[in-house]
Amino acid sequence: MPGTRTPSAPVVSEQMRECLLAAEVRGRRAALRGKVSRQVPALAAVSPARFAMAVATVDGTEAYIGEAGTGFSIQSLSKLFALCALLRHEPDVWTDVGWVPTEAGYGSVADLERNHWRPRNPFVNSGALVVTDRLLTHTGDAVGSTIAVVRAGDPDAEVHSDAQVARSEGESDHRNSAIAHVLAEHGRLVNDIDRVLPQYFAQCAITASVRTIARAALFLADRSGERTVLDHDSVRRVNAVLLTSGMYGAAGDIAYRIGLPAKSGIGGGVLAVMPGRGTVCVWSPPLDDDGNSAGGVAAIEEFARLAGWSVF
Ligand code: GLU
């Protein structure tokens, strides 16, 4: 990707690893209280015991535990990378996708209607569908452009869209299709629904490891200007919207408990960003009542406490 620095070999930090080991204990315990999502049938059989955690810092150190190199279904984490891919073409897209939080959940047709068919933010599904549609217009391949942003921080990483997961979501979905029809009715989509939805499902079905996601998101933490995936103003806005809207209805709780911009997905992934320091990503499939990875949130809370990471 043009303008992107090729990362040099990272140095493993033993001190960070100690923090991760303590975080894993808390995370695994909390995971016992969660439930693996059945929303995408192909993901319902993933073992609740899977666990991985990775941290990457802007000064080039890293640490991992568990299955840190194993790919998992990033689902809504892809909304973050698709948004960043689009912002490279359309830095002012915020006007159309919004930037305010909502209590209505990520798949609310009623909330979209209430807001006069303008999505509340790019992390609810209506906003994400508009992002995918625009990206498709700019690049002809929304999935490929999203994967390119993920790969930019980890060029040798195994990142692909899992066709079986995408098909499974496509065959069982009604809600995203309803949202897309409402958007189309009000002229909010440029491309045909039959093109946008398969791209969206394939984008959600991107598979990558926690190590790759932590590396990929480092540009959101970097203030040195070396990782130039996005301009500084866009990075600032993306982090702000992650803090207020990245964790479904639990953003306030996460800001209180952890104090970091974060994004999660129903595959059990959670990513958090500490501006100026680094990123941390967890994969633990069981979800809590808010739809966030129960183990992931607990593990990041413990890691952030031990590492002294908080924006406040
Ligand atoms: N593919 C899922 C959907 O669009 C992703 C949901 C999520 O991870 O929040 O409904």
Side-chain angles (χ1 to χ4, degrees):
M1 176 172 296
T4 304
R5 190 184 78 140
T6 306
S8 46
V11 177
V12 172
S13 161
E14 275 312 313
Q15 203 184 348
M16 287 286 186
R17 196 156 183 282
E18 293 291 315
C19 296
L20 292 187
L21 287 169
E24 177 180 14
V25 174
R26 276 233 12 228
R28 282 195 182 274
R29 203 180 311 134
L32 298 174
R33 296 192 295 273
K35 279 203 183 73
V36 175
S37 170
R38 311 184 78 79
Q39 187 185 316
V40 176
L43 296 176
V46 175
S47 163
R50 311 295 295 264
F51 193 94
M53 191 165 185
V55 57
T57 68
V58 293
D59 57 15
T61 58
E62 293 191 346
Y64 333 102
I65 48 168
E67 302 172 72
T70 303
F72 68 97
S73 192
I74 72 171
Q75 292 296 316
S76 271
L77 287 168
S78 72
K79 293 173 181 169
L80 165 64
F81 296 107
L83 171 68
C84 294
L86 178 61
L87 286 168
R88 292 166 67 89
H89 298 274
E90 250 186 278
D92 296 327
V93 75
W94 297 107
T95 323
D96 294 324
V97 297
W99 59 82
V100 297
T102 174
E103 292 276 304
Y106 65 87
S108 174
V109 178
D111 199 41
L112 181 62
E113 298 270 5
R114 260 196 307 273
N115 206 36
H116 305 287
W117 316 290
R118 178 180 180 244
R120 299 275 183 190
N121 66 66
F123 303 135
V124 294
N125 287 10
S126 55
L129 284 161
V130 169
V131 167
T132 302
D133 174 55
R134 298 287 180 92
L135 198 50
L136 188 56
T137 301
H138 283 287
T139 67
D141 180 6
V143 187
S145 319
T146 305
I147 288 177
V149 172
V150 176
R151 265 214 198 105
D154 195 1
D156 302 325
E158 172 48 42
V159 186
H160 67 276
S161 172
D162 184 326
Q164 195 203 338
V165 172
R167 199 175 326 112
S168 170
E169 182 164 14
E171 284 167 3
S172 56
D173 172 78
H174 294 289
R175 186 163 292 273
N176 287 310
S177 166
I179 294 169
H181 279 280
V182 172
L183 288 168
E185 182 187 359
H186 296 281
R188 301 274 168 166
L189 295 181
V190 178
N191 298 285
D192 234 48
I193 290 175
D194 295 343
R195 282 192 74 207
V196 177
L197 281 173
Q199 284 273 314
Y200 174 74
F201 297 140
Q203 170 202 307
C204 289
I206 290 173
T207 296
S209 68
V210 290
R211 187 164 54 201
T212 295
I213 296 297
R215 285 179 181 171
L218 257 187
F219 70 89
L220 292 171
D222 193 359
R223 287 174 170 156
S224 71
E226 283 184 34
R227 295 176 179 84
T228 53
V229 172
L230 278 185
D231 62 279
H232 177 70
D233 283 347
S234 294
V235 167
R236 202 167 44 82
R237 291 180 183 133
V238 169
N239 278 325
V241 179
L242 283 176
L243 186 72
T244 56
S245 309
M247 299 293 283
Y248 311 119
D253 181 49
I254 300 299
Y256 176 85
R257 285 169 57 192
I258 301 178
L260 296 173
K263 182 76 202 88
S264 65
I266 57 165
V270 193
L271 165 75
V273 179
M274 173 64 190
R277 298 285 292 280
T279 54
V280 54
C281 184
V282 183
W283 173 43
S284 171
L287 308 183
D288 61 21
D289 292 344
D290 291 306
N292 295 309
S293 165
V297 168
I300 290 179
E301 184 178 18
E302 183 66 2
F303 171 80
R305 193 182 68 78
L306 293 170
W309 284 18
S310 164
V311 296
F312 300 109

